[in-house]
């Protein structure tokens, strides 16, 4: 993003990759969980929130801005692509 490379762990990549395909789409945590971990995986519901928090922190450090926007009560979307 913005010509800056920001490495993220694989499970974090799995969460944010769909956002690049549909940047205006608001992704519900359940959608991201299903894409990243599979629909049959039994994991704690907070896994998406915690994993995204780590990815967002890493990206914000590298990009000087958090590229993922929280849409209150709904989910997440990509805030910008440059």
């Amino acid at each position: 993003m913005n010509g800056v490379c920001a490495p993220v762990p694989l499970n974090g990549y799995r969460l944010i990759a769909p956002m690049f395909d549909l940047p205006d789409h608001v992704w519900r945590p359940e959608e991201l969980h299903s894409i990243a971990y599979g629909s049959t995986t039994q994991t704690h519901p907070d896994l998406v929130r915690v994993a995204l928090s780590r990815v967002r922190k890493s990206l914000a450090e590298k990009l000087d801005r958090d590229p993922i926007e929280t849409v209150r009560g709904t989910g997440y979307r990509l805030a910008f692509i440059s």
Side-chain angles (χ1 to χ4, degrees), residues 5-41:
C5 181
V8 295
L10 181 58
N11 67 339
Y13 173 78
R14 288 179 179 154
L15 288 171
I16 65 170
M19 294 180 186
F20 287 90
D21 292 333
L22 296 170
D24 293 326
H25 180 73
V26 177
W27 295 89
R28 294 185 334 270
E30 299 82 19
E31 288 178 295
L32 293 173
H33 183 277
S34 179
I35 292 167
Y37 306 107
S39 59
T40 60
T41 303

Side-chain angles (χ1 to χ4, degrees), residues 39-79:
S39 59
T40 60
T41 303
Q42 294 183 0
T43 56
H44 195 276
D46 287 337
L47 180 64
V48 169
R49 183 184 54 80
V50 172
L52 268 179
S53 175
R54 290 180 182 149
V55 170
R56 291 172 81 168
K57 181 179 177 183
S58 174
L59 292 174
E61 287 174 359
K62 295 286 186 182
L63 302 172
D64 296 324
R65 181 176 173 192
D66 182 2
I68 301 170
E69 177 183 354
T70 299
V71 179
R72 189 173 178 189
T74 307
Y76 307 94
R77 74 173 158 214
L78 198 59

